[in-house]
């Protein structure tokens, strides 16, 4: 399996896709937050930075990243929410070439703004396992109305799943992510997925990563 960098606007179904890929193909999902927390176990300075919410510099992030890559060995992995900037993307390229590892593919979930907004406003989540459902999308309806399929908890609406918060996040996303998409497009590793359902997205991505 090829390594995957996932790029998607808020509410495009990144989490759902990532979970399916891990379950179906044995991918490991890597987030910089987890890597930093892991490294902080033996690094009191870093622990303090995380605790106080200080902005963590790229070098520290990449140190934690290299450590984690070393741990997972040859397993294929998914990067969700990283790199965030073109600068980080370049640093990531350098790190990969030093470690003699392959970038794999960059998968961009391209979803219309109207559709995203509709997903956000119809989203309900399980407070226990964080799995998300929809009150509108048939493929994401819980089996029993209002209850989590996995743990039976009552599903809730998140307070930030409203139009105003979405608009702000979407604008921020466009500003920050567009250059990253262009960067990976120019390297010839970008695959754009335009899809209407969770299953279709999964099938299209499955073809790309094999
Ligand atoms: Zn649950």
């Amino acid at each position: 399996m090829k390594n995957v960098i996932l790029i998607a606007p808020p509410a495009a179904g990144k989490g759902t896709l990532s979970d399916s890929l891990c379950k179906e193909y044995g991918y490991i999902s890597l987030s910089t937050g987890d890597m930093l927390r892991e490294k902080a176990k033996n690094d009191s300075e870093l622990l303090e930075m995380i605790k106080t919410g200080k902005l963590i510099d790229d070098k520290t992030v990449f140190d934690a990243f290299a450590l984690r890559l070393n741990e997972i060995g040859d397993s294929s992995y998914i990067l969700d929410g990283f790199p965030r900037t073109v600068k980080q993307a370049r640093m990531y390229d350098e790190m990969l070439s030093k470690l003699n590892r392959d970038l794999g593919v960059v998968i961009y979930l391209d979803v219309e703004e109207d559709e995203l907004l509709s997903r956000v406003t119809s989203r309900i989540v399980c407070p226990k396992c964080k799995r998300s459902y929809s009150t509108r999308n048939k493929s994401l309806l819980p089996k029993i109305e209002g209850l989590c399929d996995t743990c039976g908890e009552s599903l809730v609406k998140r307070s930030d799943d409203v139009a105003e918060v979405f608009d702000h996040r979407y604008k921020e996303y466009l500003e920050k992510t567009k250059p990253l998409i262009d960067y990976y497009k120019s390297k010839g590793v970008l695959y754009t997925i335009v899809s209407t359902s969770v299953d279709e997205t999964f099938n299209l991505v499955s073809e790309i990563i094999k």
Side-chain angles (χ1 to χ4, degrees):
M1 289 305 184
K2 292 171 186 161
N3 294 325
V4 172
I5 295 174
L6 268 184
I7 299 178
K14 220 163 37 154
T16 308
L17 174 63
S18 176
D19 288 351
S20 310
L21 294 175
C22 291
K23 214 167 123 194
E24 206 62 40
Y25 302 118
Y27 272 98
I28 297 176
S29 171
L30 298 182
S31 86
T32 51
D34 291 343
M35 294 174 206
L36 288 166
R37 278 186 289 277
E38 188 61 35
K39 188 172 186 289
K41 284 179 183 165
N42 305 307
D43 185 337
S44 55
E45 203 180 324
L46 178 59
L47 185 66
E48 199 51 38
M49 282 168 85
I50 294 172
K51 272 186 185 165
T52 52
K54 255 193 201 153
L55 193 68
I56 292 165
D57 59 284
D58 283 340
K59 188 187 174 300
T60 307
V61 173
F62 276 95
D63 284 351
F65 199 165
L67 217 61
R68 186 77 180 107
L69 281 186
N70 191 33
E71 274 169 21
I72 67 166
D74 288 335
S75 307
S76 299
Y77 59 89
I78 299 173
L79 279 180
D80 177 354
F82 188 84
R84 274 185 207 284
T85 60
V86 172
K87 185 180 166 226
Q88 282 183 343
R90 291 212 174 91
M91 288 175 81
Y92 182 45
D93 285 345
E94 279 167 30
M95 182 178 90
L96 289 174
S97 97
K98 262 184 218 155
L99 297 173
N100 207 11
R101 277 175 176 264
D102 194 43
L103 177 104
V105 291
V106 179
I107 292 177
Y108 167 44
L109 303 182
D110 187 9
V111 186
E112 293 279 340
E113 186 177 358
D114 287 353
E115 168 62 19
L116 294 170
L117 179 62
S118 158
R119 284 186 196 177
V120 165
T121 50
S122 65
R123 178 158 61 189
I124 42 176
V125 296
C126 171
K128 200 172 164 193
C129 72
K130 311 293 175 209
R131 190 169 160 187
S132 67
Y133 299 86
S134 168
T135 54
R136 180 189 59 99
N137 184 336
K138 278 203 184 93
S139 65
L140 289 172
L141 288 175
K143 287 197 182 85
I144 304 166
E145 196 187 332
L147 298 179
C148 177
D149 293 355
T150 319
C151 42
E153 285 279 319
S154 291
L155 301 171
V156 296
K157 196 164 170 50
R158 289 191 332 204
S159 58
D160 57 350
D161 277 346
V162 290
E164 301 77 54
V165 177
F166 170 78
D167 286 345
H168 176 75
R169 280 195 192 144
Y170 188 72
K171 279 200 191 88
E172 201 179 65
Y173 158 81
L174 281 185
E175 244 169 62
K176 285 194 182 151
T177 318
K178 186 75 176 47
L180 200 59
I181 292 169
D182 292 343
Y183 176 77
Y184 283 126
K185 199 183 273 177
S186 72
K187 283 176 69 88
V189 291
L190 186 85
Y191 292 82
T192 302
I193 305 281
V194 183
S195 144
T196 49
S197 77
V198 173
D199 290 342
E200 195 193 4
T201 303
F202 180 77
N203 291 335
L204 290 169
V205 172
S206 295
E207 288 305 311
I208 296 164
I209 58 179
K210 272 173 191 162

